[in-house]
Amino acid sequence: MADSSFDIVSKVERQEVDNALNQAAKEISQRYDFKGVDASIAWSGERIEMRANSEERVKAVLDIFQSKLIKRGISLKALDTGDPQASGKEYRIGASLQEGISQDNAKKVAKVIRDEGPKGVKAQVQGDELRVTSKSRDSLQEVITLLKGQDFDFALQFVNYR
């Protein structure tokens, strides 16, 4: 019988992020505590730009955006935000989305699978993803459960389970 496998990836659904951003922008435009503070959130190329006239307000914009991402099922580990920076009379926070698993992170995941996972499970780095193979489907389920219990500083999804 052929080996069973699945892939570990770190991807973000761009449409869901866009929906969360639009919901956050709508809430910011309608909320009373944001009247007259020139608060906004929008795409700036591949980055997300948040602006307001004070540091507290721009952090509140970020908080609203993060809550919308959580409601849409997107891990906050995929969002890389900077610190508020003063730019003239306004404060800005830039955020970018992290996709793909770096070589170092892939090695960390593979080491966890080797050290703590069931015997006979192999993990191979393939570009920006990780392929996990085993003869037993139960072993693959154990690996998924093991990795969900770990606290990595990046988001993981499990795809192509076969």
Side-chain angles (χ1 to χ4, degrees), residues 60-129:
V61 170
L62 175 61
D63 191 45
I64 291 169
F65 181 54
Q66 288 175 335
S67 71
K68 299 299 180 190
L69 287 174
I70 290 169
K71 283 184 182 174
R72 296 209 154 262
I74 297 171
S75 173
L76 293 182
K77 293 177 181 178
L79 186 69
D80 184 26
T81 59
D83 292 326
Q85 296 176 335
S87 173
K89 292 183 177 179
E90 69 181 8
Y91 285 81
R92 296 179 183 186
I93 295 179
S96 60
L97 299 171
Q98 293 179 325
E99 290 193 301
I101 302 174
S102 70
Q103 290 290 333
D104 291 341
N105 290 338
K107 287 178 185 174
K108 286 180 195 171
V109 174
K111 183 171 176 14
V112 168
I113 292 170
R114 249 192 341 269
D115 294 347
E116 301 176 31
K119 298 284 183 234
V121 176
K122 296 184 194 84
Q124 293 178 292
V125 178
Q126 295 182 335
D128 62 350
E129 61 185 40

Side-chain angles (χ1 to χ4, degrees), residues 9 11 13-14 18 25 27 31-34 39 51 65 70 82 84 87 97-98 103 111 125 136 147 150 156 160:
V9 297
K11 295 196 183 329
E13 189 73 37
R14 176 76 183 220
D18 200 39
E27 182 173 328
R31 270 186 37 178
Y32 178 77
D33 57 337
F34 284 110
R51 301 173 183 201
F65 181 54
I70 290 169
S87 173
L97 299 171
Q98 293 179 325
Q103 290 290 333
K111 183 171 176 14
V125 178
S136 163
L147 293 176
Q150 297 288 321
L156 293 178
N160 296 337

